[in-house]
Coordinates of all heavy atoms in Angstrom, one line a residue:
M1 N 0.9 -1.2 0.0 CA 0.0 0.0 0.0 C 0.9 1.2 0.0 O 1.9 1.3 0.7 CB -0.9 0.0 1.2 CG -1.7 1.3 1.3 SD -2.7 1.5 2.8 CE -3.9 0.2 2.6
I2 N 0.5 2.2 -0.8 CA 1.2 3.5 -0.8 C 0.3 4.5 -0.1 O -0.9 4.5 -0.3 CB 1.5 3.9 -2.2 CG1 2.3 5.2 -2.2 CG2 0.3 4.1 -3.1 CD1 2.9 5.6 -3.6
V3 N 0.9 5.3 0.8 CA 0.1 6.3 1.5 C 0.7 7.7 1.1 O 1.9 7.9 1.2 CB 0.3 6.1 3.1 CG1 -0.5 7.2 3.8 CG2 -0.2 4.7 3.5
L4 N -0.2 8.5 0.7 CA 0.1 9.8 0.2 C -0.7 10.9 0.9 O -1.8 10.7 1.2 CB -0.1 9.9 -1.3 CG 0.5 8.9 -2.2 CD1 -0.1 8.9 -3.6 CD2 2.0 9.1 -2.3
T5 N 0.0 12.1 1.0 CA -0.7 13.3 1.5 C -0.8 14.2 0.3 O 0.2 14.6 -0.3 CB 0.0 13.9 2.7 OG1 0.1 13.0 3.7 CG2 -0.7 15.2 3.1
L6 N -2.0 14.6 -0.1 CA -2.2 15.4 -1.3 C -3.0 16.6 -1.0 O -3.9 16.6 -0.1 CB -2.9 14.6 -2.4 CG -2.2 13.3 -2.8 CD1 -3.1 12.5 -3.7 CD2 -0.9 13.6 -3.5
K7 N -2.8 17.7 -1.7 CA -3.6 18.9 -1.6 C -4.7 18.8 -2.6 O -4.7 18.0 -3.6 CB -2.7 20.1 -2.0 CG -1.6 20.4 -0.9 CD -0.8 21.6 -1.3 CE 0.2 21.8 -0.3 NZ 1.0 23.0 -0.6
T8 N -5.8 19.6 -2.4 CA -6.9 19.7 -3.3 C -6.4 20.0 -4.7 O -5.4 20.8 -4.8 CB -7.9 20.8 -2.8 OG1 -8.3 20.5 -1.5 CG2 -9.1 20.9 -3.7
K9 N -7.0 19.4 -5.7 CA -6.6 19.6 -7.1 C -5.4 18.8 -7.5 O -5.0 18.8 -8.7 CB -6.5 21.0 -7.5 CG -7.8 21.8 -7.4 CD -7.6 23.2 -8.0 CE -9.0 23.9 -7.8 NZ -8.9 25.3 -8.2
A10 N -4.8 18.0 -6.6 CA -3.7 17.1 -7.0 C -4.3 15.9 -7.7 O -5.4 15.5 -7.5 CB -2.9 16.6 -5.8
T11 N -3.6 15.4 -8.7 CA -4.1 14.3 -9.5 C -3.0 13.1 -9.5 O -1.8 13.4 -9.6 CB -4.3 14.7 -11.0 OG1 -5.3 15.7 -11.0 CG2 -4.8 13.5 -11.8
L12 N -3.5 11.9 -9.3 CA -2.7 10.7 -9.4 C -3.0 10.1 -10.7 O -4.2 10.0 -11.1 CB -3.1 9.7 -8.3 CG -2.9 10.1 -6.8 CD1 -3.5 9.1 -5.9 CD2 -1.4 10.3 -6.6
Y13 N -2.0 9.6 -11.4 CA -2.1 8.9 -12.7 C -1.7 7.5 -12.5 O -0.7 7.2 -12.0 CB -1.3 9.6 -13.7 CG -1.8 11.0 -14.1 CD1 -1.3 12.1 -13.4 CD2 -2.8 11.2 -15.0 CE1 -1.7 13.4 -13.7 CE2 -3.2 12.4 -15.3 CZ -2.7 13.5 -14.6 OH -3.2 14.8 -14.9
F14 N -2.5 6.5 -13.0 CA -2.2 5.1 -13.0 C -2.1 4.7 -14.5 O -3.0 4.8 -15.3 CB -3.3 4.3 -12.4 CG -3.6 4.8 -11.0 CD1 -4.5 5.8 -10.7 CD2 -2.9 4.2 -9.9 CE1 -4.7 6.2 -9.4 CE2 -3.1 4.6 -8.6 CZ -4.0 5.6 -8.3
D15 N -0.9 4.3 -14.9 CA -0.5 4.1 -16.3 C -0.9 5.3 -17.1 O -0.8 6.4 -16.6 CB -1.2 2.8 -16.8 CG -0.6 1.5 -16.3 OD1 0.6 1.6 -16.0 OD2 -1.3 0.5 -16.2
D16 N -1.4 5.1 -18.3 CA -1.7 6.3 -19.1 C -3.2 6.6 -19.3 O -3.6 7.5 -19.9 CB -1.1 6.1 -20.5 CG 0.4 6.1 -20.6 OD1 1.0 6.9 -19.7 OD2 1.0 5.4 -21.4
N17 N -4.0 5.7 -18.6 CA -5.5 5.9 -18.9 C -6.4 6.0 -17.7 O -7.6 6.0 -17.9 CB -5.9 4.7 -19.8 CG -5.6 3.3 -19.1 OD1 -5.0 3.3 -18.1 ND2 -6.1 2.3 -19.7
I18 N -5.8 6.1 -16.5 CA -6.6 6.3 -15.3 C -6.1 7.4 -14.5 O -4.9 7.4 -14.2 CB -6.7 5.0 -14.5 CG1 -7.3 3.8 -15.3 CG2 -7.5 5.2 -13.2 CD1 -7.2 2.5 -14.6
S19 N -6.9 8.3 -14.0 CA -6.5 9.4 -13.1 C -7.5 9.6 -12.0 O -8.7 9.3 -12.2 CB -6.3 10.7 -13.9 OG -7.5 11.2 -14.4
L20 N -7.0 10.0 -10.9 CA -7.8 10.3 -9.7 C -7.4 11.7 -9.2 O -6.3 12.0 -9.0 CB -7.5 9.3 -8.6 CG -8.3 9.4 -7.3 CD1 -8.6 8.0 -6.8 CD2 -7.6 10.2 -6.3
T21 N -8.4 12.6 -9.2 CA -8.2 14.0 -8.8 C -8.9 14.3 -7.5 O -10.1 14.0 -7.3 CB -8.7 15.0 -9.9 OG1 -8.0 14.7 -11.1 CG2 -8.4 16.4 -9.5
I22 N -8.2 14.9 -6.5 CA -8.8 15.3 -5.2 C -9.6 16.6 -5.5 O -9.0 17.6 -5.9 CB -7.7 15.6 -4.2 CG1 -6.8 14.4 -4.0 CG2 -8.4 16.0 -2.8 CD1 -7.4 13.1 -3.6
L23 N -10.9 16.6 -5.3 CA -11.7 17.7 -5.6 C -11.9 18.6 -4.4 O -11.9 19.8 -4.5 CB -13.1 17.3 -6.2 CG -13.0 16.4 -7.5 CD1 -14.4 15.9 -7.8 CD2 -12.4 17.2 -8.6
S24 N -12.2 18.0 -3.2 CA -12.4 18.8 -2.0 C -12.3 17.8 -0.8 O -12.3 16.6 -0.9 CB -13.7 19.5 -2.0 OG -14.8 18.5 -2.0
T25 N -12.1 18.5 0.4 CA -12.1 17.8 1.6 C -13.0 18.6 2.6 O -13.0 19.8 2.5 CB -10.7 17.6 2.2 OG1 -10.1 18.9 2.5 CG2 -9.8 16.8 1.3
H26 N -13.7 17.9 3.4 CA -14.6 18.5 4.4 C -14.9 17.6 5.5 O -15.5 16.5 5.3 CB -15.9 19.0 3.7 CG -16.8 19.8 4.6 ND1 -16.5 21.0 5.0 CD2 -18.0 19.4 5.0 CE1 -17.6 21.4 5.8 NE2 -18.5 20.5 5.8
R27 N -14.6 18.0 6.7 CA -14.9 17.2 7.9 C -14.5 15.7 7.8 O -15.3 14.8 8.1 CB -16.4 17.3 8.3 CG -16.8 18.7 8.6 CD -18.3 18.8 9.0 NE -18.6 20.1 9.4 CZ -19.8 20.5 9.8 NH1 -20.8 19.6 9.9 NH2 -20.1 21.8 10.0
G28 N -13.4 15.5 7.4 CA -12.9 14.1 7.3 C -13.3 13.3 6.1 O -12.9 12.2 5.9
A29 N -14.1 13.9 5.2 CA -14.5 13.3 4.0 C -13.7 13.9 2.8 O -13.4 15.0 2.8 CB -16.0 13.5 3.7
I30 N -13.4 13.0 1.8 CA -12.7 13.4 0.7 C -13.5 13.2 -0.6 O -14.1 12.1 -0.7 CB -11.4 12.6 0.5 CG1 -10.5 12.8 1.7 CG2 -10.6 13.0 -0.8 CD1 -9.3 11.8 1.8
K31 N -13.7 14.2 -1.4 CA -14.4 14.1 -2.6 C -13.4 14.0 -3.8 O -12.5 14.9 -3.8 CB -15.3 15.3 -2.9 CG -16.2 15.1 -4.1 CD -17.1 16.3 -4.4 CE -18.2 16.3 -3.4 NZ -19.2 17.4 -3.7
F32 N -13.4 13.0 -4.6 CA -12.4 12.8 -5.6 C -13.1 12.4 -6.9 O -14.2 11.8 -6.9 CB -11.3 11.9 -5.3 CG -11.7 10.5 -5.0 CD1 -11.8 9.6 -6.0 CD2 -11.9 10.1 -3.7 CE1 -12.2 8.3 -5.7 CE2 -12.3 8.8 -3.4 CZ -12.4 7.9 -4.4
G33 N -12.5 12.7 -8.0 CA -13.0 12.3 -9.3 C -12.1 11.2 -10.0 O -10.9 11.3 -9.8
V34 N -12.7 10.3 -10.7 CA -11.9 9.2 -11.3 C -12.2 9.3 -12.8 O -13.4 9.3 -13.2 CB -12.3 7.8 -10.8 CG1 -11.5 6.7 -11.6 CG2 -12.0 7.7 -9.3
V35 N -11.2 9.3 -13.6 CA -11.3 9.2 -15.1 C -10.7 7.9 -15.5 O -9.5 7.6 -15.2 CB -10.6 10.4 -15.8 CG1 -10.7 10.2 -17.3 CG2 -11.2 11.7 -15.4
A36 N -11.5 7.1 -16.1 CA -11.0 5.7 -16.5 C -11.8 5.3 -17.8 O -12.9 5.8 -18.0 CB -11.2 4.7 -15.4
P37 N -11.2 4.4 -18.6 CA -11.9 3.9 -19.7 C -13.2 3.2 -19.3 O -13.3 2.7 -18.1 CB -11.0 2.8 -20.3 CG -9.6 3.2 -19.8 CD -9.9 3.8 -18.4
R38 N -14.2 3.2 -20.1 CA -15.5 2.5 -19.8 C -15.4 1.1 -19.4 O -16.1 0.6 -18.5 CB -16.5 2.6 -21.0 CG -17.0 4.0 -21.2 CD -18.2 3.8 -22.2 NE -18.8 5.1 -22.5 CZ -19.7 5.7 -21.7 NH1 -20.2 5.0 -20.7 NH2 -20.2 6.8 -22.1
E39 N -14.4 0.4 -19.9 CA -14.3 -1.1 -19.6 C -13.6 -1.3 -18.2 O -13.5 -2.4 -17.7 CB -13.5 -1.8 -20.7 CG -12.1 -1.3 -20.9 CD -12.0 -0.2 -21.9 OE1 -13.0 0.3 -22.4 OE2 -10.8 0.2 -22.2
T40 N -13.2 -0.2 -17.5 CA -12.6 -0.3 -16.2 C -13.6 -0.1 -15.1 O -14.3 0.9 -15.1 CB -11.5 0.8 -16.0 OG1 -10.5 0.6 -17.1 CG2 -10.8 0.7 -14.7
S41 N -13.8 -1.1 -14.3 CA -14.7 -1.0 -13.2 C -14.2 -0.2 -12.0 O -13.0 -0.4 -11.7 CB -15.1 -2.4 -12.7 OG -15.7 -3.2 -13.7
V42 N -15.0 0.7 -11.5 CA -14.6 1.5 -10.3 C -15.7 1.3 -9.2 O -16.8 1.6 -9.5 CB -14.4 2.9 -10.6 CG1 -14.0 3.7 -9.4 CG2 -13.3 3.1 -11.7
H43 N -15.4 0.7 -8.1 CA -16.3 0.5 -7.0 C -15.8 0.8 -5.7 O -14.6 0.7 -5.4 CB -16.7 -1.0 -7.0 CG -17.3 -1.6 -8.2 ND1 -18.5 -1.3 -8.7 CD2 -16.7 -2.4 -9.2 CE1 -18.7 -1.9 -9.8 NE2 -17.6 -2.6 -10.2
R44 N -16.6 1.2 -4.7 CA -16.2 1.4 -3.3 C -15.9 0.0 -2.8 O -16.4 -1.0 -3.3 CB -17.4 2.0 -2.5 CG -17.7 3.4 -2.8 CD -18.6 4.0 -1.8 NE -19.6 3.1 -1.2 CZ -20.9 3.2 -1.3 NH1 -21.4 4.2 -2.0 NH2 -21.7 2.4 -0.7
G45 N -15.1 -0.1 -1.7 CA -14.6 -1.3 -1.2 C -15.7 -2.3 -0.8 O -15.7 -3.5 -1.1
E46 N -16.8 -1.8 -0.1 CA -17.8 -2.7 0.3 C -18.6 -3.2 -0.9 O -19.1 -4.4 -0.9 CB -18.7 -2.0 1.4 CG -19.5 -0.9 0.9 CD -18.8 0.5 0.9 OE1 -17.6 0.5 1.1 OE2 -19.5 1.5 0.8
I47 N -18.8 -2.4 -1.9 CA -19.5 -2.9 -3.1 C -18.7 -3.9 -3.9 O -19.2 -5.0 -4.3 CB -19.8 -1.7 -4.0 CG1 -20.7 -0.7 -3.3 CG2 -20.5 -2.2 -5.3 CD1 -22.0 -1.1 -2.8
Y48 N -17.4 -3.7 -4.0 CA -16.5 -4.6 -4.6 C -16.5 -5.9 -3.9 O -16.5 -7.0 -4.6 CB -15.1 -4.0 -4.7 CG -14.1 -4.9 -5.4 CD1 -14.1 -4.9 -6.8 CD2 -13.1 -5.6 -4.7 CE1 -13.2 -5.7 -7.5 CE2 -12.3 -6.5 -5.4 CZ -12.3 -6.5 -6.8 OH -11.4 -7.3 -7.5
S49 N -16.4 -5.9 -2.6 CA -16.4 -7.2 -1.8 C -17.7 -8.0 -2.1 O -17.7 -9.2 -2.2 CB -16.3 -6.9 -0.3 OG -15.1 -6.3 0.0
R50 N -18.8 -7.3 -2.1 CA -20.1 -7.9 -2.4 C -20.1 -8.5 -3.8 O -20.6 -9.7 -4.0 CB -21.3 -6.9 -2.3 CG -22.6 -7.6 -2.3 CD -23.8 -6.6 -2.1 NE -23.5 -5.6 -1.0 CZ -24.0 -4.4 -1.0 NH1 -24.8 -4.0 -1.9 NH2 -23.7 -3.6 0.0
I51 N -19.6 -7.8 -4.8 CA -19.5 -8.3 -6.2 C -18.7 -9.6 -6.2 O -19.0 -10.6 -6.8 CB -19.0 -7.3 -7.1 CG1 -20.0 -6.1 -7.3 CG2 -18.6 -7.9 -8.5 CD1 -19.5 -4.9 -8.0
Q52 N -17.5 -9.6 -5.5 CA -16.6 -10.7 -5.5 C -17.3 -11.9 -4.9 O -17.1 -13.0 -5.3 CB -15.3 -10.4 -4.8 CG -14.5 -9.3 -5.5 CD -14.1 -9.8 -6.9 OE1 -13.5 -10.9 -7.0 NE2 -14.3 -9.0 -7.9
K53 N -18.1 -11.7 -3.8 CA -18.7 -12.8 -3.1 C -19.8 -13.5 -4.1 O -20.0 -14.7 -4.0 CB -19.4 -12.4 -1.9 CG -18.4 -12.1 -0.7 CD -19.2 -11.7 0.5 CE -18.2 -11.3 1.6 NZ -18.9 -10.8 2.8
N54 N -20.4 -12.6 -4.9 CA -21.5 -13.1 -5.8 C -21.0 -13.7 -7.1 O -21.7 -14.5 -7.7 CB -22.5 -12.0 -6.1 CG -23.3 -11.6 -4.9 OD1 -23.5 -12.4 -4.0 ND2 -23.7 -10.3 -4.8
N55 N -19.8 -13.4 -7.4 CA -19.2 -13.9 -8.7 C -18.7 -15.4 -8.5 O -18.2 -15.7 -7.4 CB -18.1 -13.1 -9.2 CG -18.6 -11.8 -9.8 OD1 -19.7 -11.7 -10.2 ND2 -17.7 -10.8 -10.0
K56 N -18.8 -16.1 -9.5 CA -18.2 -17.5 -9.5 C -16.7 -17.3 -9.7 O -16.2 -16.3 -10.3 CB -18.8 -18.3 -10.7 CG -20.2 -18.6 -10.5 CD -20.7 -19.4 -11.7 CE -22.2 -19.7 -11.5 NZ -22.7 -20.4 -12.7
P57 N -15.9 -18.3 -9.2 CA -14.5 -18.2 -9.3 C -14.1 -18.2 -10.8 O -14.6 -18.8 -11.6 CB -14.0 -19.5 -8.7 CG -15.1 -20.0 -7.8 CD -16.3 -19.5 -8.4
H58 N -13.1 -17.3 -11.1 CA -12.5 -17.2 -12.5 C -11.3 -18.0 -12.6 O -10.7 -18.5 -11.6 CB -12.2 -15.7 -12.8 CG -13.4 -14.9 -12.7 ND1 -14.5 -14.9 -13.6 CD2 -13.8 -13.9 -11.8 CE1 -15.4 -14.0 -13.3 NE2 -15.0 -13.4 -12.2
S59 N -10.7 -18.1 -13.8 CA -9.5 -18.8 -13.9 C -8.4 -18.0 -13.2 O -8.5 -16.8 -13.0 CB -9.1 -18.9 -15.4 OG -8.8 -17.7 -15.9
K60 N -7.2 -18.7 -12.9 CA -6.1 -18.0 -12.3 C -5.6 -16.8 -13.1 O -5.3 -15.8 -12.6 CB -5.0 -19.0 -12.0 CG -3.9 -18.4 -11.2 CD -2.8 -19.5 -10.9 CE -1.7 -18.8 -10.1 NZ -0.6 -19.8 -9.8
A61 N -5.5 -17.0 -14.4 CA -5.0 -15.9 -15.3 C -5.9 -14.7 -15.2 O -5.4 -13.6 -15.2 CB -4.9 -16.4 -16.7
D62 N -7.2 -14.9 -15.2 CA -8.2 -13.8 -15.1 C -8.0 -13.0 -13.8 O -8.0 -11.8 -13.8 CB -9.6 -14.2 -15.3 CG -10.0 -14.7 -16.7 OD1 -9.2 -14.3 -17.6 OD2 -11.0 -15.4 -16.8
S63 N -7.8 -13.8 -12.7 CA -7.7 -13.2 -11.4 C -6.4 -12.4 -11.3 O -6.4 -11.2 -10.8 CB -7.7 -14.2 -10.3 OG -8.9 -14.9 -10.3
E64 N -5.3 -12.9 -11.8 CA -4.1 -12.2 -11.8 C -4.1 -10.9 -12.6 O -3.6 -9.9 -12.2 CB -2.9 -13.1 -12.3 CG -2.6 -14.2 -11.3 CD -1.6 -15.1 -11.9 OE1 -1.1 -15.0 -13.0 OE2 -1.2 -16.1 -11.1
K65 N -4.8 -11.0 -13.8 CA -4.9 -9.8 -14.6 C -5.7 -8.7 -14.0 O -5.4 -7.5 -14.0 CB -5.5 -10.2 -16.0 CG -5.6 -9.1 -17.0 CD -6.2 -9.6 -18.3 CE -6.4 -8.4 -19.2 NZ -7.1 -8.8 -20.4
K66 N -6.8 -9.1 -13.3 CA -7.8 -8.2 -12.7 C -7.2 -7.5 -11.5 O -7.4 -6.3 -11.2 CB -9.1 -8.9 -12.4 CG -10.2 -8.0 -12.1 CD -11.5 -8.8 -12.0 CE -12.7 -7.9 -12.4 NZ -13.9 -8.6 -12.4
N67 N -6.4 -8.2 -10.7 CA -5.8 -7.7 -9.5 C -4.5 -7.0 -9.6 O -3.9 -6.5 -8.6 CB -5.7 -8.8 -8.4 CG -7.1 -9.4 -8.1 OD1 -8.0 -8.6 -8.0 ND2 -7.2 -10.6 -7.8
K68 N -3.9 -6.9 -10.8 CA -2.6 -6.3 -11.0 C -2.7 -4.8 -10.8 O -3.5 -4.2 -11.4 CB -2.1 -6.6 -12.4 CG -0.7 -6.1 -12.7 CD -0.3 -6.5 -14.1 CE 1.1 -5.9 -14.3 NZ 1.5 -6.0 -15.7
F69 N -1.9 -4.3 -9.9 CA -1.9 -2.9 -9.6 C -1.1 -2.2 -10.7 O 0.0 -2.7 -11.1 CB -1.2 -2.6 -8.3 CG -1.3 -1.2 -7.8 CD1 -2.5 -0.7 -7.2 CD2 -0.3 -0.3 -8.0 CE1 -2.6 0.6 -6.8 CE2 -0.4 1.0 -7.6 CZ -1.5 1.4 -7.0
P70 N -1.5 -1.1 -11.2 CA -0.8 -0.4 -12.3 C 0.7 -0.1 -11.9 O 1.0 0.2 -10.7 CB -1.5 0.9 -12.4 CG -2.9 0.7 -12.0 CD -2.7 -0.4 -10.9
S71 N 1.6 -0.3 -12.8 CA 3.0 -0.3 -12.5 C 3.6 1.2 -12.5 O 4.6 1.4 -11.9 CB 3.8 -1.1 -13.5 OG 3.5 -0.6 -14.8
I72 N 2.8 2.1 -13.1 CA 3.3 3.5 -13.1 C 2.4 4.4 -12.3 O 1.2 4.4 -12.4 CB 3.4 4.0 -14.5 CG1 4.4 3.1 -15.3 CG2 3.8 5.5 -14.6 CD1 4.3 3.4 -16.8
L73 N 3.0 5.2 -11.4 CA 2.2 6.1 -10.5 C 2.9 7.4 -10.5 O 4.1 7.5 -10.2 CB 2.1 5.5 -9.1 CG 1.5 6.4 -8.1 CD1 0.0 6.6 -8.4 CD2 1.6 5.8 -6.7
S74 N 2.2 8.5 -10.9 CA 2.8 9.8 -10.9 C 1.8 10.8 -10.3 O 0.6 10.6 -10.3 CB 3.3 10.2 -12.3 OG 2.2 10.3 -13.2
I75 N 2.3 11.9 -9.8 CA 1.5 12.9 -9.2 C 1.7 14.2 -9.9 O 2.8 14.6 -10.3 CB 1.9 13.1 -7.7 CG1 1.7 11.8 -7.0 CG2 1.0 14.2 -7.1 CD1 2.2 11.8 -5.6
K76 N 0.6 14.9 -10.2 CA 0.7 16.2 -10.9 C -0.2 17.2 -10.2 O -1.4 16.9 -10.0 CB 0.3 16.1 -12.4 CG 0.2 17.3 -13.1 CD -0.3 17.1 -14.5 CE -0.5 18.4 -15.3 NZ -1.1 18.2 -16.6
E77 N 0.2 18.4 -9.9 CA -0.6 19.4 -9.4 C -1.3 20.2 -10.5 O -0.7 20.5 -11.5 CB 0.3 20.5 -8.6 CG 0.8 19.9 -7.3 CD -0.2 19.7 -6.2 OE1 -1.2 20.5 -6.2 OE2 0.1 18.9 -5.4
I78 N -2.6 20.4 -10.4 CA -3.4 21.1 -11.3 C -3.3 22.6 -10.9 O -3.6 23.0 -9.8 CB -4.8 20.7 -11.4 CG1 -4.9 19.2 -11.8 CG2 -5.7 21.5 -12.3 CD1 -6.3 18.7 -11.7
T79 N -3.0 23.4 -11.9 CA -2.9 24.9 -11.6 C -4.0 25.6 -12.1 O -4.7 25.2 -13.0 CB -1.6 25.5 -12.1 OG1 -1.5 25.2 -13.5 CG2 -0.4 24.9 -11.4

């Protein structure tokens, strides 16, 4: 796990096609936006866990491909 401290409007990039931008913070809550290709699923942790419980087991190759964390991570401040 990587732990980062970011300011509002900071953007994280995952490979070349996924980005996460910090939009605002308020009373311990963080609002962020995610830009990703349509074929990329984005879920909150509890929803993802529920989906995984309801899905039938996939092949080992499918699981490894789906769980692979992007290898490139960069941070850019939006001005």
Side-chain angles (χ1 to χ4, degrees):
M1 175 187 292
I2 183 171
V3 178
L4 303 168
T5 300
L6 302 170
K7 294 181 180 182
T8 302
K9 296 186 181 177
T11 299
L12 298 173
Y13 293 92
F14 302 89
D15 286 332
D16 292 328
N17 59 353
I18 300 173
S19 65
L20 182 144
T21 301
I22 307 300
L23 302 174
S24 66
T25 60
H26 182 68
R27 296 184 181 181
I30 301 168
K31 185 183 286 188
F32 60 88
V34 176
V35 176
R38 286 193 180 273
E39 62 272 7
T40 302
S41 298
V42 178
H43 303 286
R44 292 191 329 243
E46 66 274 15
I47 302 299
Y48 183 77
S49 295
R50 192 178 315 152
I51 291 169
Q52 292 301 307
K53 286 180 184 178
N54 292 332
N55 283 344
K56 294 180 182 177
H58 299 290
S59 72
K60 184 177 180 180
D62 288 342
S63 296
E64 289 174 0
K65 182 179 176 184
K66 198 170 203 175
N67 293 327
K68 184 178 177 187
F69 188 81
S71 58
I72 300 172
L73 174 68
S74 61
I75 301 172
K76 176 183 174 186
E77 290 288 331
I78 298 175
T79 57

